[in-house]
Amino acid sequence: MNIVIIEDESAIADTLIHVLEMDGFKAHWFNTAGAGLTYLKSKTADLLILDVGLPDGNGFELCKQIRGFSNIPIIFLTARSDEIDRVVGLEIGADDYVTKPFSPRELLARVKLRLKSVRQPTIVASEQSCDTLRIENYDYYKGPIALGLTALEFRLLNALLESSPRVLSRQQLMEFSNMPIEEAYERNVDSHIKSIRNKLQKADMAESLKTKRGFGYYFDKE
């Protein structure tokens, strides 16, 4: 499987490449946002490891651009450890957030987890989950328009569609979507739901994802 690394520090990139290739992955390294973006637009990749501070741009902005055309799993690898940075990173479409200094083995485990989640989603919805939405390549489409969901957002929306019109609590959503332990807290669920709602606007269905105050969320197919 092809892993793309966009990181301007060569020592960190070398470590990542070594760990990934020792485990059988192919690693492609780019030290600028522009070079990495060009590659991702023209080639197929299975996962992206992305730094936030890049010499020619900001990783957060690059993530937004990538989410405009791809739902590739994205793991931020950055020295920014503040909670607000983690929340922003997840809200704009990242699937995971790792701070430097980091454990190469732990990062490798996270890479494998993300790839496993994409290949084997916890809940597999049928095309009948919603009359106006269909599944293709682990994303939801309305006609030719893809919502651009991350792997975790895909599983969360799956859970809501499969359970409709039943209300799911935040705890149930964490469990049904196989949310990693380190991300499993209510505020994070709310952030992902907000992101899904924004993406549902492409299908004019943002109002279908409803909040039941004090209980959780549900999807209204009516």
Side-chain angles (χ1 to χ4, degrees), residues 84-121:
I84 185 62
D85 290 316
R86 294 196 300 273
V87 171
V88 168
L90 295 169
E91 283 186 343
I92 62 175
D95 297 274
D96 208 342
Y97 195 103
V98 179
T99 57
K100 302 173 183 176
F102 65 98
S103 162
R105 285 191 177 186
E106 179 186 350
L107 183 60
L108 179 62
R110 289 172 182 257
V111 166
K112 290 180 177 179
L113 176 63
R114 294 302 163 199
L115 293 174
K116 181 179 179 181
S117 297
V118 172
R119 292 196 302 270
Q120 300 176 343

Side-chain angles (χ1 to χ4, degrees), residues 99-159:
T99 57
K100 302 173 183 176
F102 65 98
S103 162
R105 285 191 177 186
E106 179 186 350
L107 183 60
L108 179 62
R110 289 172 182 257
V111 166
K112 290 180 177 179
L113 176 63
R114 294 302 163 199
L115 293 174
K116 181 179 179 181
S117 297
V118 172
R119 292 196 302 270
Q120 300 176 343
T122 304
I123 301 169
V124 179
S126 66
E127 292 191 4
Q128 286 71 42
S129 290
C130 185
D131 292 339
T132 56
L133 293 175
R134 76 178 196 281
I135 294 175
E136 185 177 325
N137 295 326
Y138 297 103
D139 200 358
Y140 274 99
Y141 284 71
K142 182 180 181 182
I145 302 173
L147 298 187
L149 301 171
T150 67
L152 180 53
E153 289 168 356
F154 175 80
R155 297 197 303 275
L156 285 168
L157 183 55
N158 256 337

Side-chain angles (χ1 to χ4, degrees), residues 180-197:
I181 294 174
E182 69 277 2
E183 293 183 24
Y185 52 95
E186 292 189 355
R187 183 174 176 183
N188 197 15
V189 173
D190 293 340
S191 295
H192 285 295
I193 292 294
K194 178 181 177 182
S195 177
I196 293 170
R197 246 193 212 115

Side-chain angles (χ1 to χ4, degrees), residues 1-16:
M1 302 191 81
N2 296 320
I3 310 298
V4 173
I5 302 164
I6 304 179
E7 164 66 59
D8 64 331
E9 295 186 44
S10 59
I12 291 177
D14 287 343
T15 298
L16 291 173

Side-chain angles (χ1 to χ4, degrees), residues 68-93:
F69 64 87
S70 174
N71 65 344
I72 182 175
I74 297 176
I75 299 177
F76 273 120
L77 179 62
T78 174
R80 299 189 183 187
S81 58
D82 290 344
E83 180 186 19
I84 185 62
D85 290 316
R86 294 196 300 273
V87 171
V88 168
L90 295 169
E91 283 186 343
I92 62 175

